[in-house]
Amino acid sequence: MSQPDSVRSVATRLENYFDWYVRVDPEVPSAVWTLLSRFSALVNGPENVAGAQQLLAETNGYSLGSPWEELRLALAQLAHQPA
């Protein structure tokens, strides 16, 4: 079963936003790109509640404004889907 369309659209928009963000603020940790890549893989792959829960916990260590919180909300939605 695929992820909800709303989460996929959030992922696409956030990937574009953070691509821009990293270009204007090169001090963004490289770990953020890893987290974003994992988020994209979760959204575009099969449902993985455990992976979403783990990634949600890992994203808690960063504060990159409201888009980051939107990413975390999308992860929370993925993390609480029935298996």
Side-chain angles (χ1 to χ4, degrees), residues 14 34-36 38-40 42-43 48-63 67-81:
L14 290 175
T34 302
L35 296 172
L36 289 169
R38 289 174 52 205
F39 174 69
S40 182
L42 277 171
V43 169
N48 181 348
V49 172
Q53 290 171 341
Q54 180 180 359
L55 188 54
L56 180 60
E58 291 177 40
T59 59
N60 195 38
Y62 297 93
S63 179
W68 192 256
E69 292 309 311
E70 189 174 2
L71 178 142
R72 290 183 39 69
L73 287 171
L75 277 172
Q77 181 180 353
L78 296 176
H80 293 95
Q81 289 182 351

Side-chain angles (χ1 to χ4, degrees), residues 17-18 21-22 25 28-29 32 36 59 62-69:
Y17 171 79
F18 283 110
Y21 188 89
V22 169
D25 186 358
V28 173
V32 168
L36 289 169
T59 59
Y62 297 93
S63 179
L64 300 171
S66 59
W68 192 256
E69 292 309 311

